[in-house]
Structures are given as structure tokens and as C-alpha cells.
Amino acid sequence: MPKDANSLQKKGVLDRILDAIERAGNKLPDPITLFLGLAVIVVLISWLCSALDVQALNPATKEVVKVQNLFSIWGIQYLWSNVITNFSGFAPLGMVLVAVIGSSVAEKSGFLVSLMQNFLGGAKGWIVSAVVIFLGINLNIAGDAGFIILPPLAAILYMSIGRSPMLGLYVAFASVAAGFCANIMIGLSDALAYGFTEPAAQMFDPTYSASIAINWYFMIVSCIILTVAGTFITEKIMVHRFPVTKEDLAKYDYDESSTNLTPVQKKGLAVAGIAELVYLAVVLLLSLPIFGNPILGDENGSITAAAAPFTKGIVFTVTLALMVPGIAYGVAIGKYKNDKDVWADISQGFSEMGNYVFMCFFISIFTNFFNVSKLGTVLAISGANGLKAIGFTGVPLMVGLIIVACFVNLFIGSASAKWAILAPVFVPMMMIMGYDPAITQMVYRIGDSITNPLSPLFTYMPVILGYARKYDKKAGLGTVIANMIPFSTCFAIVWILQVIVWVVFNLPLGPGGGIYLPGYGG
């Protein structure tokens, strides 16, 4: 008893707050029960809102959006008719299971551990954290693949330097989720966002035209400062929350007997490297216009367009990029003696995701009910109109836009769906006040990122929870959210300060994108 008291006294105020949040969050029902309960709540709220004739005008389509009553004969018929298709069509489920194929081979063959030891085995902890955070922030160029691929890889990387895999999972998830809109290279998220910004701007100025790079300069700087801030939070706050011993690492089937690679392991890495180069060469050939349009390109020859096979199959591309060298490594070191050994490792990887698959059944019901009821759409439109009515200007207006985007993000997972609703309200409103569509798009994207890892309804929250329970069976939503709060809070502060600097000094956000329209501001 005294020992526990002394341990408690050693904890700082922040740790005690986070521990309290974790305990409170973990007292929530199991996520499966939680999503089932939320589905029932959506049904009841839809009945109430429908009875009260709650509606909103969609600024994008000029159509009146009414809440659909799911507590009705139609609602029961809809559930009965679509429960299977909702589950089988739940997009994150398919992506996660495909990703498990490659990640299982890469991890269980020993390839990833050897690779990490080879490149970062002797690196200081803060360097490893900085690398993971920087990669996580930039992985939005691969769409949603970062949520699935990086956390389990970071767990292995942290174990390779003697740290808790749980810490690696949370650092990776926080960087991918909370830093989702920042990147060094222009990616799919930029194209999707601008696809709604331009037509919204043309509602005010029919001649408006820019490019998908209107936020590029701002995001490059964001990558750097968020990496520094995230590394500081990791090393100064998060590391001591996850103490780990050699005995703990042994429980995770990690062998720390030697930090130096054996000749066999070095040979395995060499063979894996050659296999990876061959695979990348094949992908490159499929992506180049050698025989007309690229095989992995769309009808216009672009491989980065939303409809391009390369873009749509990015998770499969990454899976093969892990699976090919993993198999090559396993064969080279003698772990894989035949095909059965490979399939056994993949099967084990799937068995570890069984709880997640079961959870997805109930998540698919909830998310589909929420979408069909139109509650999210009405909520988003009402929030945007409320901000417009307040009459903020300047920096308070920018912060207000971020807060609204943060709030709406808790209820609607798809960034495109939210921006399709909010852009026709925010962009013309801001243009009337003299602000460039680039700054409106930027502050929306910031708000759309910050609260990603805090929402129990976020599409990939169950994914990280499934990974976490591989190492800690008692991990719950409270555990994840409590450990995300330092990152989300830090990123929010850093980003708001960055926006203030940009607005005060009237800095360009990207090519063709600024703070003010010509004739306004500085």
C-alpha cells in the first residue's frame, strides 16, 4: 500500500489527469457494446428529430435535408435488408485484412526487426520518435494506408530499441491521425480537398481557379514543426508512461539477446533488398506510359487521380511491398522452408485480428445508420451556419473555423463528406470578407485532423484498439484516447500559432494560395 502511494506521488499533474481519463474511458462498455448502443441511440434520435421536422438546407445542392426516421417500418426493413451488405462493404475492414497479409509476413519472418536494427538499432530514442512521427504525418499521400500499416511497424521498431510496443503504436497513430493534413509532397488528400474548394469559390467568383497545391508551403512547415513538437511530447511526457523491462519484451516474443545482426540476418536483408527492388521496378513499369497510358493510370494517364488503379490499390501496393521482402528474408534465413510456413504466419496474423473483425460488424451498423439518418449532414450544416451568424473576423474567425471542423469531425469520419457540406458555406462567406479560399481550406483541414485520434467514432479507432490489445488485453477506448490527448492538444496549439503567424505576416500558403484576396489585407 505505501509503495502504491509513493508511486502515485511521483506522478505529475498531467499524468494523474491522463490516468483519470483513461480509467473513466475504460469504464465505458466494450467497444462492441458501445457501437451497438450508439446505433440504438441514433435510431431514437432520428425518430425524435423526424417528429420535430428537423431539417437544414444543403448549400452544395440547394436541397432541404430532413432527418430520416429509422424507428419505423422502413427502418426495420432497411436494417434487415442491408445488415450483410453493410458489413461486407465496410471499407476499413477490407483494407485492414489486406494489409494484415503483408504486415504479418514482414513481422513474423523477422524481416522488420532486422531492418530496424540495421538502420536504427543504435539510434537514440528521440531520433526513432522523430522518424516515426515524420513518416506518420506524411503518410496521407498514401490515403488511409498509414492508419493500418505504420502503428504495428512502429511497435516493432520501438521494441528493437528496448521500448514498449504500446508507445510505438500510440506515437504512430497520433502522428498519422492528428497530423493527417500536413505533408511534404502533394498527395491525394490535397486533390480531394481542392476538388470541393474550387466550385465553392466559384459560387462567389466564377473566374476563380488555382491548384491543388494552394496549401503546400504551409504544410511543409507544418511537417517540420509538428515533428519537433510531437517528438518533444513523446520524449518528455509519453515515454515514462510506458516503462518496459526485458521480461516484458520477452512476453511479446521479442528477442533482445543481441543488437548486432548475425551473418545470416545480414544475408537475409540483402536478399530482401534485392526482392524489394525487383518489386518496385515492376510497379514503376506499370506506372509509366511505356505502351500508351500507364497500366495503373486512369483514362487520362494519371496514377495519382482518385479513380486511378494505383491510387485505389495503394493498400495492396504497400502490402506487397512488405510481403515480398518478408518472404525473401524468411527463405534466406531458413525460417520459411515451404509455402506452408508462409501461410501459417499469415493465418496467425489473421487470428490476432478476429476481435476487430467481429467489432466491425457492429461498427458498420452504427456508421450506416448515422449516414442514412442524415443526422451528421444536418449537424454539419447547422454548425457552419452558427459560426457564420456569430460574426467573427480575423484570427478569432480562423480559430472558430478550426473549432467547428474539430467538432463536426467527431461525428462524420469522411473528410471529403464534411468538406462537401462545409465548403459551400465557409468558402464564399470568407471570400465576401476578403479571405482567399486557400486559408479557408487550410483551417478546415487543420480542424479535420486534430480530433481524429480522440473520437470513439473515428473509423480507424477500432484498428488501433485491435493492435493495442495484441500487447495489452486490458486496453480500452479510454486507454487510447487518454494517450492521444497530449498529441492532439500539442498539435492544436502549434497549428493555431502557425495560422496566427501566417495571418499576421500575410505569408503565402502555397502556389496561388494566400491569406487575402487581391485588394484586401496586407
Side-chain angles (χ1 to χ4, degrees), residues 421-444:
I421 297 167
L422 298 179
V425 177
F426 285 163
V427 174
M429 177 187 78
M430 295 284 282
M431 292 179 76
I432 292 173
M433 299 174 67
Y435 291 103
D436 192 294
I439 184 62
T440 310
Q441 176 181 284
M442 190 68 255
V443 294
Y444 160 74

Side-chain angles (χ1 to χ4, degrees), residues 107-110 329-338 341-342 345:
E107 174 191 351
K108 299 182 187 304
S109 66
Y329 179 86
V331 171
I333 67 172
K335 186 179 190 299
Y336 293 149
K337 297 179 175 61
N338 52 53
D341 294 333
V342 178
D345 276 352

